[in-house]
Amino acid sequence: MGVKEILAKLDMGSAARTAKDLENKLVFDVLIGGGPASAAAAIYSARKGIATGVVAERFGGQVLDTMAIENFVSVTETEGPKFAVALEQHVKIYEVDVMDVQRAEKLVPGRINEIHLASGAVLKAKTIVLSTGARWREIGVPGEREYRNRGVAYCPHCDGPLFNKGKRVAVIGGGNSGVEAVIDLAGIVSAVTLIEFGAELRADAVLQKKLYSLPNVSVITQGQTLEIIGDGKKVDGLVYKDRTTGAEHRVELEGVFVQIGLVPNNKWLKGTVDLSKHGEIIVDAKGATSIPGVFAASDVTTVPYKQIVIAVGEGAKASLSAFDHLIRTSLEYEAVVEEGVTA
Ligand SMILES: Cc1cc2nc3c(=O)[nH]c(=O)nc-3n(C[C@H](O)[C@H](O)[C@H](O)COP(=O)(O)OP(=O)(O)OC[C@H]3O[C@@H](n4cnc5c(N)ncnc54)[C@H](O)[C@@H]3O)c2cc1C
């Protein structure tokens, strides 16, 4: 929890006051929520001179939980919280109404869309860019949270290269993403152990074929991870139970990649926009969702590869699409706003 969230929790009356303030806001041209994708969307939209608002439960998003970022093109190396500050500073150069520590709870689509906030306020917008991101599914064993970013990682593209040659890692999860992670990591580290809970890997046959061809990979099926252990500073092992015999085993290693799924932050959107079977918002090449005027970007969508550099590109694209939608429908909106019709 950041300072802003702590202050909001301490000041019990602030939510009601904020709700009242927010209610008085005019209709936004575009309303955006979130992290790097929304920062990019906000910058693109504000530079068009249109009324832009950002609603974020925690401005910055996942980058706030990231230690080292080494793959954002043009920035050789930075830290997540530093990157988040840079995002906010860049957004605030423009006339963007940043409504931080505000959770969206309901989307009511219409010719003027409504976003209902947990504080009770209702915001109105002609177009919306949904970019509420995602979070990695946790395995929920002792040591996982304690050693997060100190050996426990979730993103092989991001953190794999931090485990140089000579390091041993485990990947938990034998689906496509787990097996892809193993194949990726096997080229970087000295040994990779794949631990799958079920009797068989669930990854595609072609991935499994590649996996079993690698000399530095071992695969454990029917393995239930019980604990991630360390020396207080960093991870040095993992304990799992063989589900067929009940025997417990310890694997010595320096890193654990949890690959049991990414959960899109979309619970509040169920029943409105079309979602994939994995719960991601289905978008087309322009970031358009199933609702006219509602666009979506990055981790919360079906767009593959969840990375910051992709998030900013997708955010910019969805924002340009929203602008395109606005200019094509502006006369219709003016009539609606004049009439005071909101749905
Ligand atoms: C530990 C970790 C390390 C990573 N390392 C790297 C790396 O090194 N390089 C890299 O490229 N990528 C990395 N990633 C992935 C990268 O951070 C994400 O791909 C990127 O942040 C996605 O951006 P986004 O804007 O789509 O969503 P997010 O960053 O998830 O932002 C979503 C935003 O929406 C807000 N939000 C969610 N629900 C609501 C709601 N109901 N109402 C209002 N606001 C809401 C959140 O508070 C947040 O501000 C890492 C991720 C993690 C977790």
Side-chain angles (χ1 to χ4, degrees):
M1 195 185 282
V3 175
K4 280 182 266 188
E5 287 104 320
I6 295 169
L7 287 176
K9 280 217 179 302
L10 286 175
D11 183 357
M12 302 303 277
S14 76
R17 279 198 304 277
T18 314
K20 210 159 171 261
D21 294 344
L22 294 179
E23 285 282 0
N24 295 330
K25 291 187 192 273
L26 299 171
V27 177
F28 289 98
D29 285 319
V30 66
L31 201 53
I32 298 154
S38 46
I43 291 164
Y44 268 73
S45 158
R47 284 170 61 85
K48 297 284 184 197
I50 58 179
T52 305
V54 167
V55 181
E57 200 171 0
R58 201 170 59 126
F59 190 93
Q62 292 170 65
V63 291
L64 289 172
D65 305 322
T66 308
M67 287 284 276
I69 299 171
E70 298 184 351
N71 58 359
F72 189 78
V73 181
S74 86
V75 180
T76 359
E77 196 182 349
T78 187
E79 287 154 17
K82 242 184 184 173
F83 189 85
V85 169
L87 285 178
E88 194 164 358
Q89 280 171 346
H90 197 168
V91 167
K92 285 186 171 167
I93 287 177
Y94 299 99
E95 267 191 44
V96 176
D97 191 341
V98 178
M99 291 158 272
D100 201 0
V101 202
Q102 294 292 333
R103 194 172 75 247
E105 284 200 329
K106 194 168 144 199
L107 165 67
V108 182
R111 285 154 85 200
I112 299 289
N113 303 284
E114 288 180 4
I115 289 203
H116 295 233
L117 304 182
S119 63
V122 178
L123 299 171
K124 297 180 183 69
K126 297 175 190 169
T127 59
I128 291 177
V129 175
L130 300 166
S131 48
T132 42
R135 58 196 186 278
W136 296 95
R137 198 186 296 279
E138 295 183 1
I139 186 128
V141 296
E144 181 182 25
R145 292 213 168 159
E146 184 183 350
Y147 290 110
R148 190 175 183 146
N149 289 326
R150 295 191 294 152
V152 175
Y154 297 82
C155 172
H157 309 300
C158 318
D159 297 334
L162 305 177
F163 294 86
N164 303 323
K165 289 257 178 244
K167 297 268 169 49
R168 298 155 300 177
V169 302
V171 171
I172 300 173
N176 279 343
S177 56
V179 172
E180 279 171 12
V182 174
I183 296 168
D184 177 358
L185 293 164
I188 303 170
V189 302
S190 71
V192 191
T193 306
L194 172 63
I195 303 179
E196 160 61 34
F197 186 83
E200 282 169 15
L201 303 184
R202 289 160 291 111
D204 297 343
V206 63
L207 292 174
Q208 292 198 39
K209 197 168 169 204
K210 173 72 184 169
L211 172 86
Y212 286 114
S213 75
L214 298 169
N216 58 343
V217 168
S218 44
V219 176
I220 294 164
T221 52
Q222 300 271 33
Q224 181 183 359
T225 304
L226 297 178
E227 188 177 0
I228 296 168
I229 43 187
D231 62 4
K233 290 192 187 124
K234 53 187 176 9
V235 166
D236 59 19
L238 173 150
V239 179
Y240 75 90
K241 182 170 86 179
D242 181 332
R243 295 174 60 236
T244 53
T245 63
E248 291 186 11
H249 302 276
R250 178 182 165 133
V251 185
E252 306 291 330
L253 42 70
E254 287 76 36
V256 177
F257 284 81
V258 181
Q259 289 292 299
I260 55 169
L262 195 66
V263 190
N265 297 321
N266 65 5
K267 224 168 142 191
W268 65 288
L269 293 168
K270 284 194 178 132
T272 50
V273 280
D274 285 355
L275 303 176
S276 72
K277 68 173 182 193
H278 300 296
E280 296 166 325
I281 301 172
I282 299 171
V283 287
D284 69 8
K286 286 184 156 184
T289 69
S290 54
I291 302 173
V294 177
F295 300 84
S298 191
D299 279 21
V300 75
T301 73
T302 44
V303 166
Y305 308 118
K306 314 305 191 194
Q307 293 286 282
I308 304 165
V309 77
I310 293 171
V312 295
E314 289 296 313
K317 188 171 70 180
S319 185
L320 291 173
S321 300
F323 180 69
D324 188 49
H325 176 85
L326 271 176
I327 52 177
R328 286 166 197 277
T329 48
S330 55
L331 289 176
E332 186 189 330
Y333 284 127
E334 273 161 31
V336 173
V337 173
E338 265 172 33
E339 283 166 25
V341 180
T342 57

